[in-house]
Each structure stands twice: as structure tokens, then as C-alpha cells.
Amino acid sequence: MSKTSIGSGRLARLRTGVVTTIACVLAVGIGAFCVWQLSHYEDGLVETFANQQDDYVRVVADQLSRASDDDAEALLGSIGPSSSQYWTVAQDGSLVFVKDVDETNRYRGFSAQTYYDSSAAEGFIDGLAENGVSHAVIQIDGRSFIASGTVVERGGARVSLCLLTARHVIIDQNAYLGARVGLGVAIGVALVAMVGACVVMGLRGDRLRDRAEAAEDEAARLRETNERLGRQRLSELLGVTETSDNDEDTGGDDPMSHEVRRVYCFKSYLNASHYVSFDGQRGEVHPHTWQFGAKVAVAGSAEPRPFADYERAIEAVFEPYQNRVVNECEPFDAIVPTLESLTEVLGEKVRAVAAGMDARLVEFEGSETPARSYLLSYGPEADDGELS
């Protein structure tokens, strides 16, 4: 795997982690905002109910200050006392009425502070005053109540009047709040699903990226192996063996090794189709227009031939392959017709043609696009430098 692939893979994983983290932070933030909104709405709902309850206590207190004992008891029992909403009355600091007859008998003679045992409840009772109704959320026996109360004068005595309503009743009976809670739960579930999807997609993307990189590396390895085997097979078919540097330096008996004076340059085009096979899988047949360039050197002492003679002889090399599927022609029915193998096979044929005309092929270049070519150089570089 290349350093570029490793770097891009790490960058992609880092990007996945950042996106997942942002999604998690966003989900937590939205969830916290929803919880705050619900809590804020509940507080507003409790405050609105407490104000309405204050108005009701004000009306009852006004009637209680003028009613007889029987009328007062009937008035206090008119709301249908229950464990969720009821009245308490204390006269000169002692309880005289709590919820109903049973509770009243239970707490009769007790001080109001005994019943209102929490610090918030005691503060609420102590803060009651005449000519005004106040409210607070207090705790009684571990339950939360909305308490509204006032003080009235009755028969020369100071009477504390309180109406208690369980807080959960207000919340549970509010349909709009229930809908908002349901919506909040739905949003929470959606956020959890979104975060989970982001994490799963990120992990899946990393796995797919790793597989793609591994497949790319394997394909590169197979291409390299295929090209090496193709060159080896080509060398076997052409009978070409590698020579040492000393053999290349000597130049042998080549009469042109120091007498090159003229070089002819030819360009030829091969219009044909081919396909390439990898791992035994045959690719699709597709057309090409290959361009080949040949540099043919003639010794200064040799009689030059007409330009057209060389040109016709070289064009004849390409004629058997024109407008055909190259894979069906020898020797490409046995080797893969890549740009390299085409250049090497055709180069050897042009080289043989040039030798038959008392000339030598110096260079042979094949290209399938303007940006991709394959060059063969024949003979010592010193000879090429002396060509004019």
C-alpha cells in the first residue's frame, strides 16, 4: 500500500470520527434543549394553575369569613376532597379541618407546623397574610403540592385557609403537555437512531475503503506479474537474451557503430482492436489507433535508397494487423497484446526489415495516447549521438 493511500485512509477515518462526534454532540445538545423546554413549559403550566387556584381561594375565603360553621364545612367539602386536592384550615395555629372528617379527627389539635413538616411548607404557612393570597410548591409526606393560601378573620379568630393540589395531577391531565412529551420522546428516539446510523455508516465506510485499497493493491500486483510474464514469454518467442554491459560497449563487428551519418524517421499507424485478459478473465474487445515511430540509420558509406522504399517496407510490417483483432494474429494469440508487447514484436520485425536494406533500426517507439508511449533503443547510445 502506498504512503498516499495510507494517508488518505487515515484522513478518511479521521473525517468519519469527526462527523460521528459532531452528530453525537448535536444529538445531546438537541436532547438537552428538549428537556429544558419541557421543564420550562411545566413550570409555566404550574404557575398558571397556581394563579387560577389563588383566585378560587380568594372567593372561598371571602365567603368563609361570613359563613356559619355548618356552611363553612359544606363550602370546604364542595370540591370533593381526595388525596390529590383538598383544604386545610388552621385557627390560631391549630388545625381544625384537614381534607375530610376522618383526617380532621386525626389531626385535630395539632399545630399547622406539625402537618406542614417540610421547610418549604413551614415557610409558606408562616408567610400567609390577610388581604392577600399567595402560592408555592411544597412537599408533604414526600409528595409535591401546589398550595394556595390566605388568612381571614372569623369570629375574632385568625384563620389560615389553604388549598392543596397534587402537582402530578396538573401535569398528567394536560393533554398538550402529554403531546409535547410524546414528541420529545419521538425526537429523542430519532436522534439516537440518527447517531447510531452515523456510527454504523462510518464503520461500514471504513471497511469498504479498506477493502477497496486492498483490491487496488492486489490488482496492481497482478498487473505487474502479468507484464513480467508477458515480457518473459515475448523474450522466449523472440529468442532474445540479456547481454552484459561489456558486450554492449564493444559494438562487435557492426560496420555502422562509428559511421552513422543519416537517420530516417518514419511514423506509422495501426488501426486494430484487442482485448486484455487478467486472471483468466477476458476483457472486452475495443479499438485502438496505435502510433509507431521508427528511426532508421544508414551508414555513411552505403548508397542511400529512395525514402519511399523504406516507408513501403515498414508499412508492410503493419499490414497483417490492420483492421483486425490483434489477439487473433501470431504471436499475440499466445501473449497479451499490450502496448509494450506490440512495440517489442513490431520493433523486431522493423529491425529485420531495416537490416535487409543495409540499415539499422536505432529507435522504435509505440504510443496509444499522446501522453503514454513505450520506447525501444537499439545499439549503443554513443552511436545515436553521432547521428545527424
Side-chain angles (χ1 to χ4, degrees):
M1 186 180 297
S2 64
K3 294 183 179 179
T4 303
S5 300
I6 295 175
S8 62
R10 290 178 178 173
L11 181 61
R13 293 185 182 88
L14 178 61
R15 189 183 301 116
T16 300
V18 171
V19 171
T20 302
T21 302
I22 292 175
C24 292
V25 172
L26 182 63
V28 172
I30 294 176
F33 177 75
C34 291
V35 171
W36 177 83
Q37 280 282 66
L38 290 175
S39 176
H40 183 70
Y41 179 76
E42 288 182 7
D43 294 340
L45 181 64
V46 168
E47 183 66 23
T48 300
F49 178 82
N51 290 328
Q52 295 174 351
Q53 184 170 268
D54 289 351
D55 294 335
Y56 181 61
V57 170
R58 190 175 291 108
V59 172
V60 173
D62 183 64
Q63 296 178 1
L64 184 64
S65 63
R66 299 189 299 270
S68 63
D69 292 342
D70 293 338
D71 292 339
E73 185 174 349
L75 180 64
L76 295 176
S78 63
I79 66 170
S82 66
S83 61
S84 299
Q85 188 176 44
Y86 57 91
W87 292 95
T88 67
V89 180
Q91 182 172 322
D92 294 331
S94 297
L95 291 172
V96 296
F97 182 85
V98 178
K99 188 186 302 185
D100 53 24
V101 175
D102 293 336
E103 289 293 304
T104 299
N105 293 332
R106 178 182 176 186
Y107 288 101
R108 187 179 297 275
F110 282 75
S111 65
Q113 283 75 12
T114 302
Y115 187 78
Y116 293 93
D117 56 353
S118 67
S119 59
E122 290 180 4
F124 169 71
I125 290 297
D126 294 340
L128 295 180
E130 294 184 37
N131 302 322
V133 180
S134 60
H135 62 261
V137 178
I138 63 175
Q139 298 289 326
I140 298 177
D141 293 334
R143 299 177 61 194
S144 181
F145 287 87
I146 302 171
S148 297
T150 186
V151 176
V152 298
E153 288 290 336
R154 178 179 169 81
R158 190 172 184 272
V159 178
S160 299
L161 176 67
C162 295
L163 177 59
L164 305 176
T165 303
R167 187 177 186 274
H168 72 86
V169 174
I170 309 304
I171 304 300
D172 294 344
Q173 292 180 354
N174 189 274
Y176 180 62
L177 180 61
R180 288 184 62 130
V181 171
L183 180 61
V185 172
I187 292 175
V189 172
L191 289 174
V192 172
M194 181 182 70
V195 172
C198 289
V199 173
V200 171
M201 292 178 64
L203 296 176
R204 180 175 176 82
D206 289 340
R207 287 196 296 270
L208 292 177
R209 191 178 299 109
D210 292 340
R211 292 177 183 175
E213 292 175 356
E216 182 180 353
D217 292 341
E218 181 66 16
R221 186 186 66 80
L222 293 175
R223 284 195 298 270
E224 181 180 353
T225 301
N226 186 69
E227 291 175 359
R228 178 175 56 79
L229 294 176
R231 288 194 297 269
Q232 182 179 0
R233 178 59 177 164
L234 178 63
S235 299
E236 293 175 355
L237 291 173
L238 298 177
V240 177
T241 57
E242 295 183 358
T243 57
S244 63
D245 294 339
N246 294 332
D247 293 337
E248 292 179 355
D249 293 338
T250 59
D253 296 329
D254 186 356
M256 298 179 56
S257 59
H258 301 287
E259 298 180 3
V260 175
R261 292 292 183 270
R262 296 184 298 274
V263 176
Y264 291 90
C265 298
F266 302 93
K267 287 187 177 180
S268 303
Y269 296 89
L270 175 59
N271 296 300
S273 302
H274 79 144
Y275 61 84
V276 180
S277 299
F278 290 104
D279 293 336
Q281 298 293 326
R282 170 178 166 174
E284 294 183 358
V285 178
H286 55 280
H288 271 289
T289 296
W290 287 283
Q291 176 179 300
F292 295 95
K295 290 184 179 181
V296 177
V298 180
S301 59
E303 184 69 24
R305 292 173 177 265
F307 197 100
D309 290 351
Y310 296 104
E311 192 171 45
R312 282 193 296 269
I314 293 175
E315 288 295 331
V317 172
F318 299 92
E319 189 60 30
Y321 308 96
Q322 294 287 357
N323 302 314
R324 296 188 61 184
V325 178
V326 179
N327 304 73
E328 299 174 356
C329 305
E330 293 182 356
F332 300 108
D333 55 350
I335 61 175
V336 180
T338 61
L339 174 64
E340 294 84 348
S341 61
L342 280 169
T343 304
E344 292 177 3
V345 170
L346 296 176
E348 287 298 321
K349 292 180 178 292
V350 172
R351 188 180 184 185
V353 169
M357 302 176 72
D358 297 325
R360 179 168 63 84
L361 180 63
V362 178
E363 287 184 1
F364 189 73
E365 181 179 12
S367 61
E368 57 185 6
T369 67
R372 182 181 298 175
S373 62
Y374 183 65
L375 177 65
L376 297 175
S377 179
Y378 300 91
E381 295 181 358
D383 292 345
D384 297 344
E386 295 177 6
L387 299 180
S388 60

